[in-house]
């Protein structure tokens, strides 16, 4: 396969992975909201007093698989769950606080006159808005959880949803992913880090066209966990993984939640033929066909560049990395 690994690695580092500066901005805004929520909840409900230990970093930011936004309508999504004690939420009558009222409580505590848009309730969280345009566009989501322990010692954790309290472990996905990374790193030095890179690159491929409606990051992460294999070269690892994903989806379009603690949450896809999964199967097939030239012994640097640009729509970035349009051939 033609060796384009240096260019793909540089592309990942400069155009895909979240920058240090943006990461710091997101962390600062997350911390500001934590401080606001921690200090204001007792003012709204004296029984509710929380500390940093009650927050749960979630999603791609916590997993370090978040990628740079590319299209104007995209924005960064930071998930930061807050875990409250059921007894602290109880009404004066002793009745449980509803999921909707608990979400209202958190939303009201997060309101601030300095916001141009006040926090709103979403289906499973409270959303706090920040920059709403250009590459800095982002928001912070606060899923609201409650916890309690039964007489038999079993600890329960439930998420406030639009339909009520639903069993959910706020750390299940992160714990599963960190274990996966550690296991792979133990099997082969560098495989853990490369797994994160493959998740980021797959996300970047799926967001490369404005008119594509592709699966969300969690589904893509599960597919990488299923199909990713280590290679010293990141370009070869991505090429092989995308081919395995295409083959896998040609047989089965369903994606399972490998981290699910509850049977009802095992399947991430809604049906056996979700349209976004069909689109991923078809688009990955097209990408693999574009990359077939990379396996030709007569492949040139220009041909390789065109192939990778067809995959990622780099808008001339790869051309800026290449010295010229020639280049030697790399034997398989």
């Amino acid at each position: 396969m033609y060796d384009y690994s240096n260019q793909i690695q540089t592309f990942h580092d400069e155009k895909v992975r979240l920058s240090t500066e943006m990461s710091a901005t997101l962390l600062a805004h997350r911390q500001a909201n934590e401080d606001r929520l921690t200090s204001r909840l007792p003012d709204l409900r004296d029984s509710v007093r929380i500390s940093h230990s009650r927050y749960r970093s979630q999603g791609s930011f916590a997993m370090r698989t978040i990628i740079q936004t590319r299209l104007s309508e995209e924005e960064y999504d930071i998930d930061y769950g807050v875990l409250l004690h059921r007894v602290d939420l109880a009404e004066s009558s002793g009745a449980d606080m509803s999921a909707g009222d608990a979400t209202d409580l958190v939303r009201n505590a997060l309101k601030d006159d300095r916001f141009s848009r006040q926090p709103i309730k979403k289906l499973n969280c409270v959303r706090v808005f920040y920059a709403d345009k250009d590459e800095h566009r982002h928001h912070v989501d606060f899923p609201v959880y409650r916890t309690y322990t039964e007489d038999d010692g079993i600890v329960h954790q439930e998420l406030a949803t639009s339909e009520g309290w639903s069993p959910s472990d706020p750390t299940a996905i992160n714990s599963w992913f960190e274990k996966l990374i550690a296991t792979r790193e133990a099997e082969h030095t560098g495989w853990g880090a490369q797994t994160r890179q493959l998740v980021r690159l797959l996300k970047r491929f799926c967001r490369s066209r404005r008119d594509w409606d592709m699966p969300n990051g969690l589904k893509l992460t599960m597919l990488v966990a299923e199909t990713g294999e280590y290679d010293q070269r990141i370009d070869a690892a991505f090429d092989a993984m995308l081919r395995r994903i295409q083959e896998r989806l040609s047989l089965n379009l369903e994606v399972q939640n490998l981290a699910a603690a509850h049977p009802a949450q095992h399947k991430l896809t809604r049906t056996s033929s979700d349209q976004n999964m069909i689109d991923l199967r078809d688009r990955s097939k097209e990408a693999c066909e574009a990359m077939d030239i990379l396996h030709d012994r007569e492949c040139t640097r220009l041909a390789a560049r065109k192939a990778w640009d067809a995959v990622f729509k780099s808008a001339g970035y790869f051309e800026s990395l290449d010295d010229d349009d020639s280049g030697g051939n790399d034997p398989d």
Side-chain angles (χ1 to χ4, degrees), residues 293-330:
I293 186 63
L294 301 172
H295 297 270
D296 189 325
R297 287 185 175 273
E298 302 304 316
C299 183
T300 63
R301 182 179 300 174
L302 176 60
R305 179 200 306 163
K306 289 181 177 179
W308 286 110
D309 189 59
V311 174
F312 292 116
K313 295 294 286 186
S314 71
Y317 179 78
F318 290 128
E319 183 175 3
S320 70
L321 297 179
D322 289 342
D323 295 330
D324 52 52
D325 291 340
S326 62
N329 301 329
D330 293 334

Coordinates of all heavy atoms in Angstrom, one line a residue, residues 293-330:
I293 N -6.7 2.5 -5.4 CA -5.4 2.9 -6.1 C -4.2 2.8 -5.2 O -3.1 2.6 -5.6 CB -5.6 4.3 -6.7 CG1 -4.4 4.6 -7.6 CG2 -5.8 5.3 -5.6 CD1 -4.2 3.7 -8.8
L294 N -4.4 3.0 -3.9 CA -3.3 2.9 -2.9 C -2.6 1.6 -2.9 O -1.5 1.5 -2.5 CB -3.8 3.3 -1.5 CG -4.5 4.7 -1.4 CD1 -5.1 4.8 0.0 CD2 -3.4 5.8 -1.6
H295 N -3.3 0.6 -3.3 CA -2.8 -0.8 -3.3 C -2.2 -1.2 -4.6 O -1.8 -2.4 -4.8 CB -3.9 -1.8 -2.9 CG -4.4 -1.5 -1.5 ND1 -3.9 -2.1 -0.3 CD2 -5.4 -0.7 -1.0 CE1 -4.6 -1.7 0.7 NE2 -5.5 -0.8 0.3
D296 N -2.2 -0.3 -5.5 CA -1.5 -0.5 -6.8 C -0.1 -0.2 -6.7 O 0.3 0.9 -6.3 CB -2.2 0.3 -7.9 CG -1.8 0.0 -9.3 OD1 -0.6 -0.4 -9.5 OD2 -2.7 0.1 -10.2
R297 N 0.8 -1.1 -7.2 CA 2.3 -0.8 -7.2 C 2.6 0.4 -8.0 O 3.7 1.0 -7.8 CB 3.0 -2.0 -7.7 CG 3.0 -3.2 -6.7 CD 3.9 -4.3 -7.2 NE 4.0 -5.4 -6.2 CZ 4.9 -5.4 -5.2 NH1 5.7 -4.4 -5.1 NH2 4.9 -6.4 -4.3
E298 N 1.8 0.8 -8.9 CA 2.1 2.0 -9.8 C 1.5 3.3 -9.2 O 1.6 4.3 -9.8 CB 1.6 1.7 -11.2 CG 2.1 0.5 -11.9 CD 3.6 0.5 -11.9 OE1 4.2 1.5 -12.3 OE2 4.2 -0.6 -11.6
C299 N 1.0 3.2 -8.0 CA 0.4 4.4 -7.4 C 1.5 5.5 -7.2 O 2.6 5.2 -6.8 CB -0.2 4.0 -6.0 SG -1.0 5.4 -5.2
T300 N 1.1 6.7 -7.5 CA 2.0 7.9 -7.4 C 1.5 8.7 -6.2 O 0.4 8.5 -5.7 CB 2.0 8.7 -8.6 OG1 0.7 9.2 -8.8 CG2 2.5 7.9 -9.8
R301 N 2.3 9.6 -5.8 CA 1.9 10.5 -4.7 C 0.7 11.3 -5.1 O -0.2 11.6 -4.3 CB 3.1 11.5 -4.3 CG 2.7 12.4 -3.2 CD 3.9 13.3 -2.8 NE 5.1 12.5 -2.5 CZ 6.3 13.1 -2.2 NH1 6.4 14.4 -2.3 NH2 7.3 12.3 -1.9
L302 N 0.6 11.8 -6.3 CA -0.5 12.5 -6.8 C -1.8 11.7 -6.7 O -2.8 12.1 -6.3 CB -0.3 13.0 -8.3 CG -1.5 13.7 -8.9 CD1 -1.9 15.0 -8.1 CD2 -1.2 14.1 -10.3
A303 N -1.7 10.4 -7.1 CA -2.9 9.5 -7.1 C -3.3 9.3 -5.6 O -4.5 9.2 -5.3 CB -2.5 8.2 -7.8
A304 N -2.3 9.1 -4.8 CA -2.6 8.9 -3.4 C -3.2 10.1 -2.8 O -4.2 10.0 -2.0 CB -1.3 8.6 -2.6
R305 N -2.7 11.3 -3.1 CA -3.3 12.5 -2.6 C -4.8 12.6 -3.0 O -5.7 13.0 -2.2 CB -2.5 13.7 -3.1 CG -3.1 15.1 -2.6 CD -2.6 16.2 -3.5 NE -1.2 16.2 -3.6 CZ -0.5 16.9 -4.6 NH1 -1.2 17.5 -5.5 NH2 0.8 16.9 -4.6
K306 N -5.1 12.4 -4.3 CA -6.4 12.4 -4.8 C -7.3 11.4 -4.1 O -8.5 11.7 -3.8 CB -6.5 12.2 -6.3 CG -5.9 13.3 -7.1 CD -5.9 13.1 -8.6 CE -5.4 14.2 -9.4 NZ -5.5 14.0 -10.9
A307 N -6.8 10.3 -3.8 CA -7.6 9.2 -3.1 C -8.0 9.7 -1.7 O -9.1 9.6 -1.3 CB -6.8 7.9 -3.0
W308 N -7.0 10.2 -1.0 CA -7.3 10.6 0.4 C -8.1 11.9 0.4 O -8.9 12.0 1.4 CB -6.0 10.8 1.2 CG -5.3 9.5 1.6 CD1 -4.2 9.0 1.1 CD2 -5.8 8.6 2.5 NE1 -3.9 7.8 1.6 CE2 -4.9 7.5 2.6 CE3 -6.9 8.5 3.4 CZ2 -5.1 6.4 3.4 CZ3 -7.1 7.4 4.2 CH2 -6.2 6.4 4.2
D309 N -8.0 12.7 -0.5 CA -8.8 13.9 -0.6 C -10.3 13.5 -0.9 O -11.2 14.1 -0.4 CB -8.3 14.9 -1.6 CG -9.1 16.2 -1.5 OD1 -9.0 16.8 -0.5 OD2 -9.7 16.6 -2.5
A310 N -10.4 12.4 -1.7 CA -11.8 12.0 -1.9 C -12.4 11.4 -0.7 O -13.7 11.5 -0.5 CB -11.7 10.9 -3.0
V311 N -11.6 10.9 0.2 CA -12.1 10.4 1.5 C -12.5 11.5 2.5 O -13.6 11.5 3.0 CB -11.1 9.4 2.1 CG1 -11.6 9.0 3.5 CG2 -10.9 8.2 1.2
F312 N -11.6 12.4 2.7 CA -11.7 13.4 3.7 C -12.1 14.8 3.2 O -12.4 15.7 4.1 CB -10.4 13.5 4.5 CG -10.1 12.3 5.3 CD1 -9.0 11.6 5.1 CD2 -11.0 11.9 6.4 CE1 -8.7 10.5 5.9 CE2 -10.7 10.8 7.2 CZ -9.5 10.1 6.9
K313 N -12.1 15.0 1.9 CA -12.5 16.4 1.4 C -11.6 17.4 2.1 O -12.1 18.3 2.8 CB -13.9 16.7 1.5 CG -14.9 15.8 0.7 CD -14.7 16.0 -0.8 CE -15.3 17.3 -1.2 NZ -15.3 17.4 -2.7
S314 N -10.3 17.3 1.9 CA -9.4 18.1 2.7 C -9.3 19.6 2.2 O -8.5 20.4 2.8 CB -8.0 17.5 2.6 OG -7.4 17.6 1.3
A315 N -9.9 19.9 1.1 CA -9.9 21.3 0.6 C -8.5 21.8 0.4 O -8.1 23.0 0.7 CB -10.6 22.3 1.6
G316 N -7.7 21.0 -0.2 CA -6.3 21.4 -0.6 C -5.3 21.2 0.5 O -4.1 21.4 0.2
Y317 N -5.7 20.7 1.7 CA -4.7 20.5 2.7 C -3.6 19.5 2.4 O -2.4 19.8 2.6 CB -5.4 20.1 4.0 CG -4.5 19.9 5.2 CD1 -4.0 21.0 5.9 CD2 -4.0 18.6 5.5 CE1 -3.1 20.8 6.9 CE2 -3.1 18.5 6.6 CZ -2.7 19.6 7.3 OH -1.8 19.4 8.3
F318 N -4.0 18.4 1.8 CA -2.9 17.4 1.5 C -2.0 17.9 0.4 O -0.8 17.6 0.5 CB -3.6 16.1 1.0 CG -4.3 15.3 2.1 CD1 -5.6 14.9 1.9 CD2 -3.7 15.0 3.3 CE1 -6.3 14.2 2.9 CE2 -4.3 14.3 4.3 CZ -5.6 13.9 4.1
E319 N -2.5 18.7 -0.5 CA -1.6 19.3 -1.5 C -0.5 20.2 -0.8 O 0.7 20.2 -1.3 CB -2.4 20.1 -2.5 CG -1.5 20.7 -3.6 CD -2.3 21.4 -4.7 OE1 -3.6 21.5 -4.5 OE2 -1.8 21.8 -5.7
S320 N -0.9 20.9 0.2 CA 0.0 21.7 0.9 C 1.1 20.9 1.6 O 2.2 21.5 1.9 CB -0.7 22.6 1.9 OG -1.2 21.8 3.0
L321 N 0.9 19.7 1.9 CA 1.9 18.8 2.6 C 2.9 18.2 1.6 O 4.0 17.8 2.0 CB 1.2 17.7 3.4 CG 0.3 18.2 4.5 CD1 -0.3 17.0 5.2 CD2 1.1 19.0 5.5
D322 N 2.5 18.0 0.4 CA 3.3 17.3 -0.6 C 4.3 18.3 -1.3 O 3.9 19.4 -1.7 CB 2.4 16.7 -1.7 CG 1.7 15.5 -1.1 OD1 2.1 15.0 0.0 OD2 0.7 15.0 -1.7
D323 N 5.5 17.8 -1.5 CA 6.5 18.7 -2.1 C 6.3 18.8 -3.6 O 6.5 19.8 -4.2 CB 7.9 18.1 -1.9 CG 8.3 18.2 -0.4 OD1 7.8 19.1 0.3 OD2 9.0 17.3 0.0
D324 N 5.8 17.7 -4.2 CA 5.5 17.7 -5.6 C 4.5 16.6 -6.0 O 4.0 16.0 -5.1 CB 6.8 17.4 -6.4 CG 7.6 16.2 -5.9 OD1 7.0 15.1 -5.9 OD2 8.8 16.3 -5.6
D325 N 4.3 16.4 -7.2 CA 3.3 15.4 -7.7 C 3.8 14.0 -8.0 O 3.2 13.2 -8.5 CB 2.5 15.9 -8.9 CG 1.7 17.1 -8.6 OD1 1.3 17.3 -7.4 OD2 1.3 17.8 -9.5
S326 N 5.1 13.8 -7.7 CA 5.7 12.5 -7.9 C 5.8 11.8 -6.7 O 5.1 12.0 -5.7 CB 7.1 12.7 -8.6 OG 7.9 13.4 -7.7
G327 N 6.7 10.9 -6.6 CA 6.9 10.1 -5.3 C 7.1 8.7 -5.7 O 6.6 8.1 -6.6
G328 N 7.9 8.0 -4.8 CA 8.2 6.6 -5.1 C 7.1 5.7 -4.8 O 6.1 6.1 -4.1
N329 N 7.2 4.5 -5.2 CA 6.2 3.5 -4.8 C 6.6 2.7 -3.6 O 7.8 2.4 -3.5 CB 6.0 2.5 -6.0 CG 5.5 3.3 -7.3 OD1 4.8 4.3 -7.2 ND2 5.9 2.8 -8.4
D330 N 5.7 2.3 -2.8 CA 6.0 1.5 -1.6 C 5.4 0.1 -1.9 O 4.2 -0.1 -2.1 CB 5.3 2.1 -0.4 CG 6.0 3.4 0.0 OD1 7.2 3.6 -0.4 OD2 5.3 4.2 0.7

